[in-house]
mmCIF file of all heavy atoms in Angstrom:
data_model
loop_
_atom_site.group_PDB
_atom_site.id
_atom_site.type_symbol
_atom_site.label_atom_id
_atom_site.label_comp_id
_atom_site.label_asym_id
_atom_site.label_seq_id
_atom_site.Cartn_x
_atom_site.Cartn_y
_atom_site.Cartn_z
ATOM 1 N N TYR A 31 -2.321 -12.831 -23.416
ATOM 2 C CA TYR A 31 -2.579 -13.812 -22.590
ATOM 3 C C TYR A 31 -4.020 -14.318 -22.844
ATOM 4 O O TYR A 31 -4.805 -13.490 -23.356
ATOM 5 C CB TYR A 31 -2.446 -13.547 -21.062
ATOM 6 C CG TYR A 31 -0.967 -13.178 -20.689
ATOM 7 C CD1 TYR A 31 -0.602 -11.803 -20.601
ATOM 8 C CD2 TYR A 31 -0.142 -14.163 -20.346
ATOM 9 C CE1 TYR A 31 0.662 -11.508 -20.207
ATOM 10 C CE2 TYR A 31 1.119 -13.846 -19.945
ATOM 11 C CZ TYR A 31 1.560 -12.547 -19.932
ATOM 12 O OH TYR A 31 2.824 -12.250 -19.496
ATOM 13 N N PHE A 35 -5.578 -16.770 -16.976
ATOM 14 C CA PHE A 35 -4.571 -15.821 -16.876
ATOM 15 C C PHE A 35 -3.615 -16.072 -15.768
ATOM 16 O O PHE A 35 -3.941 -16.570 -14.765
ATOM 17 C CB PHE A 35 -5.311 -14.448 -16.681
ATOM 18 C CG PHE A 35 -6.298 -14.095 -17.748
ATOM 19 C CD1 PHE A 35 -7.548 -14.169 -17.713
ATOM 20 C CD2 PHE A 35 -5.693 -13.562 -19.021
ATOM 21 C CE1 PHE A 35 -8.392 -13.808 -18.796
ATOM 22 C CE2 PHE A 35 -6.488 -13.351 -20.093
ATOM 23 C CZ PHE A 35 -7.950 -13.581 -19.922
ATOM 24 N N PRO A 36 -2.326 -15.561 -16.028
ATOM 25 C CA PRO A 36 -1.432 -15.728 -14.938
ATOM 26 C C PRO A 36 -1.811 -14.849 -13.748
ATOM 27 O O PRO A 36 -2.365 -13.799 -13.902
ATOM 28 C CB PRO A 36 -0.035 -15.324 -15.605
ATOM 29 C CG PRO A 36 -0.404 -14.571 -16.767
ATOM 30 C CD PRO A 36 -1.821 -15.066 -17.176
ATOM 31 N N HIS A 37 -1.367 -15.356 -12.538
ATOM 32 C CA HIS A 37 -1.562 -14.561 -11.367
ATOM 33 C C HIS A 37 -0.712 -13.437 -11.392
ATOM 34 O O HIS A 37 0.423 -13.346 -11.894
ATOM 35 C CB HIS A 37 -1.292 -15.360 -10.082
ATOM 36 C CG HIS A 37 -2.368 -16.469 -9.834
ATOM 37 N ND1 HIS A 37 -3.617 -16.182 -9.360
ATOM 38 C CD2 HIS A 37 -2.316 -17.885 -10.017
ATOM 39 C CE1 HIS A 37 -4.289 -17.469 -9.359
ATOM 40 N NE2 HIS A 37 -3.543 -18.501 -9.690
ATOM 41 N N GLY A 38 -0.960 -12.390 -10.626
ATOM 42 C CA GLY A 38 0.002 -11.318 -10.426
ATOM 43 C C GLY A 38 -0.189 -10.155 -11.303
ATOM 44 O O GLY A 38 -1.284 -10.187 -12.194
ATOM 45 N N ASP A 39 0.585 -9.100 -11.256
ATOM 46 C CA ASP A 39 0.286 -7.888 -12.066
ATOM 47 C C ASP A 39 1.191 -7.825 -13.243
ATOM 48 O O ASP A 39 2.363 -7.795 -13.128
ATOM 49 C CB ASP A 39 0.576 -6.680 -11.192
ATOM 50 C CG ASP A 39 0.048 -5.422 -11.796
ATOM 51 O OD1 ASP A 39 0.818 -4.805 -12.659
ATOM 52 O OD2 ASP A 39 -1.108 -5.018 -11.533
ATOM 53 N N LEU A 40 0.569 -7.954 -14.447
ATOM 54 C CA LEU A 40 1.427 -8.160 -15.655
ATOM 55 C C LEU A 40 2.240 -6.844 -15.991
ATOM 56 O O LEU A 40 3.212 -6.861 -16.506
ATOM 57 C CB LEU A 40 0.478 -8.472 -16.815
ATOM 58 C CG LEU A 40 -0.196 -9.779 -16.593
ATOM 59 C CD1 LEU A 40 -1.163 -10.060 -17.803
ATOM 60 C CD2 LEU A 40 0.869 -10.928 -16.532
ATOM 61 N N MET A 41 1.588 -5.748 -15.587
ATOM 62 C CA MET A 41 2.244 -4.425 -15.923
ATOM 63 C C MET A 41 3.534 -4.286 -15.031
ATOM 64 O O MET A 41 4.606 -3.959 -15.644
ATOM 65 C CB MET A 41 1.365 -3.220 -15.559
ATOM 66 C CG MET A 41 1.776 -1.942 -16.100
ATOM 67 S SD MET A 41 2.849 -1.001 -14.875
ATOM 68 C CE MET A 41 1.462 -0.306 -13.828
ATOM 69 N N ILE A 42 3.591 -4.725 -13.783
ATOM 70 C CA ILE A 42 4.741 -4.627 -13.016
ATOM 71 C C ILE A 42 5.689 -5.626 -13.399
ATOM 72 O O ILE A 42 6.895 -5.442 -13.521
ATOM 73 C CB ILE A 42 4.407 -4.792 -11.526
ATOM 74 C CG1 ILE A 42 3.528 -3.573 -11.027
ATOM 75 C CG2 ILE A 42 5.615 -4.820 -10.598
ATOM 76 C CD1 ILE A 42 4.208 -2.286 -10.943
ATOM 77 N N GLU A 43 5.187 -6.921 -13.747
ATOM 78 C CA GLU A 43 6.142 -7.951 -14.136
ATOM 79 C C GLU A 43 6.891 -7.593 -15.349
ATOM 80 O O GLU A 43 8.076 -7.945 -15.507
ATOM 81 C CB GLU A 43 5.307 -9.251 -14.324
ATOM 82 C CG GLU A 43 6.130 -10.425 -14.707
ATOM 83 C CD GLU A 43 5.324 -11.702 -14.778
ATOM 84 O OE1 GLU A 43 4.179 -11.755 -14.633
ATOM 85 O OE2 GLU A 43 6.036 -12.873 -14.966
ATOM 86 N N ILE A 73 -1.537 -0.358 -8.865
ATOM 87 C CA ILE A 73 -1.311 -1.860 -9.119
ATOM 88 C C ILE A 73 -2.691 -2.264 -9.323
ATOM 89 O O ILE A 73 -3.559 -2.473 -8.402
ATOM 90 C CB ILE A 73 -0.610 -2.416 -7.896
ATOM 91 C CG1 ILE A 73 0.600 -1.579 -7.316
ATOM 92 C CG2 ILE A 73 -0.295 -3.943 -8.192
ATOM 93 C CD1 ILE A 73 1.642 -1.386 -8.423
ATOM 94 N N ALA A 74 -2.942 -2.866 -10.462
ATOM 95 C CA ALA A 74 -4.344 -3.347 -10.889
ATOM 96 C C ALA A 74 -4.578 -4.687 -10.352
ATOM 97 O O ALA A 74 -5.703 -4.955 -9.829
ATOM 98 C CB ALA A 74 -4.493 -3.387 -12.259
ATOM 99 N N ASN A 75 -3.580 -5.607 -10.294
ATOM 100 C CA ASN A 75 -3.829 -7.010 -9.922
ATOM 101 C C ASN A 75 -2.758 -7.471 -8.998
ATOM 102 O O ASN A 75 -2.041 -8.482 -9.360
ATOM 103 C CB ASN A 75 -3.839 -7.803 -11.215
ATOM 104 C CG ASN A 75 -4.970 -7.550 -12.097
ATOM 105 O OD1 ASN A 75 -6.112 -7.568 -11.649
ATOM 106 N ND2 ASN A 75 -4.790 -7.141 -13.303
ATOM 107 N N PRO A 76 -2.633 -6.945 -7.820
ATOM 108 C CA PRO A 76 -1.707 -7.581 -6.849
ATOM 109 C C PRO A 76 -2.196 -8.938 -6.534
ATOM 110 O O PRO A 76 -3.298 -9.266 -6.336
ATOM 111 C CB PRO A 76 -1.784 -6.669 -5.636
ATOM 112 C CG PRO A 76 -3.115 -5.958 -5.676
ATOM 113 C CD PRO A 76 -3.510 -5.919 -7.147
ATOM 114 N N GLY A 77 -1.158 -9.923 -6.573
ATOM 115 C CA GLY A 77 -1.530 -11.250 -6.310
ATOM 116 C C GLY A 77 -1.799 -11.491 -4.791
ATOM 117 O O GLY A 77 -2.583 -12.335 -4.404
ATOM 118 N N LYS A 78 -1.025 -10.737 -3.948
ATOM 119 C CA LYS A 78 -1.433 -10.762 -2.503
ATOM 120 C C LYS A 78 -0.906 -9.495 -1.991
ATOM 121 O O LYS A 78 0.005 -8.710 -2.422
ATOM 122 C CB LYS A 78 -0.755 -11.968 -1.772
ATOM 123 C CG LYS A 78 0.781 -12.185 -1.976
ATOM 124 C CD LYS A 78 1.123 -13.441 -1.308
ATOM 125 C CE LYS A 78 2.530 -14.023 -1.652
ATOM 126 N NZ LYS A 78 2.739 -14.236 -3.068
ATOM 127 N N THR A 118 -7.037 -9.068 -1.792
ATOM 128 C CA THR A 118 -6.852 -8.206 -2.866
ATOM 129 C C THR A 118 -8.063 -7.397 -3.339
ATOM 130 O O THR A 118 -7.958 -6.364 -3.872
ATOM 131 C CB THR A 118 -6.191 -8.869 -4.040
ATOM 132 O OG1 THR A 118 -7.101 -9.949 -4.409
ATOM 133 C CG2 THR A 118 -4.830 -9.508 -3.718
ATOM 134 N N MET A 245 5.645 -12.332 -5.573
ATOM 135 C CA MET A 245 5.540 -12.405 -7.083
ATOM 136 C C MET A 245 5.415 -10.881 -7.518
ATOM 137 O O MET A 245 5.039 -10.081 -6.822
ATOM 138 C CB MET A 245 4.304 -13.099 -7.571
ATOM 139 C CG MET A 245 4.319 -14.580 -7.173
ATOM 140 S SD MET A 245 5.762 -15.499 -7.864
ATOM 141 C CE MET A 245 5.136 -15.669 -9.556
ATOM 142 N N PRO A 246 5.763 -10.619 -8.810
ATOM 143 C CA PRO A 246 5.713 -9.233 -9.329
ATOM 144 C C PRO A 246 4.253 -8.717 -9.116
ATOM 145 O O PRO A 246 3.284 -9.359 -9.497
ATOM 146 C CB PRO A 246 5.997 -9.394 -10.759
ATOM 147 C CG PRO A 246 6.913 -10.503 -10.866
ATOM 148 C CD PRO A 246 6.296 -11.504 -9.796
ATOM 149 N N GLY A 247 4.175 -7.531 -8.484
ATOM 150 C CA GLY A 247 2.854 -6.879 -8.225
ATOM 151 C C GLY A 247 2.365 -7.125 -6.814
ATOM 152 O O GLY A 247 1.426 -6.448 -6.341
ATOM 153 N N ASP A 248 2.983 -8.097 -6.096
ATOM 154 C CA ASP A 248 2.620 -8.239 -4.699
ATOM 155 C C ASP A 248 2.967 -7.009 -3.875
ATOM 156 O O ASP A 248 3.931 -6.312 -4.235
ATOM 157 C CB ASP A 248 3.385 -9.339 -4.117
ATOM 158 C CG ASP A 248 2.809 -10.759 -4.530
ATOM 159 O OD1 ASP A 248 1.786 -10.888 -5.279
ATOM 160 O OD2 ASP A 248 3.313 -11.896 -4.011
#
Side-chain angles (χ1 to χ4, degrees):
Y31 294 100
F35 297 105
H37 292 284
D39 194 275
L40 298 176
M41 194 267 286
I42 296 296
E43 182 173 3
I73 312 302
N75 294 304
K78 51 187 171 298
T118 54
M245 301 297 287
D248 283 0

